[in-house]
Amino acid sequence: FWRVVNLGLLEADAATRRSVEGLRGDGPEVHPVLYSEEFVRDLQAVLEQGAVTVRRVLELLEINQPELEGLFASYQLAVPFDL
């Protein structure tokens, strides 16, 4: 917003400032999902088939085991390994 004002493309009147301030969320912070459901289902399948090891998946995704288990749980999928 302020870049556009500084370029002179928009007036920074009080009403506009109030509406911009209203865009800021005061509620709980929501994070986007890191991986799509389709990707997580495919990941579950390759782990079940033994096409890739759990350790390799952890390295590639740069996460730890509890985070990987949480990833499956976030999509209500069974964890395809037991370590």
Side-chain angles (χ1 to χ4, degrees):
F1 171 76
W2 291 112
R3 288 183 185 185
V4 177
V5 171
N6 290 336
L7 289 172
L9 301 173
L10 184 65
E11 297 269 335
D13 63 355
T16 304
R17 281 195 296 261
R18 278 195 303 273
S19 66
V20 169
E21 291 297 321
L23 294 175
R24 293 189 181 149
D26 292 332
E29 191 172 327
V30 178
H31 298 284
V33 294
L34 294 177
Y35 305 103
S36 69
E37 184 173 357
E38 180 182 6
F39 174 79
V40 177
R41 287 185 186 281
D42 290 345
L43 184 59
Q44 181 190 39
V46 297
L47 283 168
E48 285 177 344
Q49 295 166 3
V52 66
T53 65
V54 174
R55 180 172 287 158
R56 183 67 178 145
V57 169
L58 296 175
E59 288 175 10
L60 291 171
L61 299 182
E62 298 179 347
I63 59 176
N64 58 36
Q65 182 184 337
E67 290 171 329
L68 182 59
E69 292 171 353
L71 179 62
F72 290 115
S74 69
Y75 289 106
Q76 290 80 42
L77 298 173
V79 177
F81 57 87
D82 185 27
L83 298 179

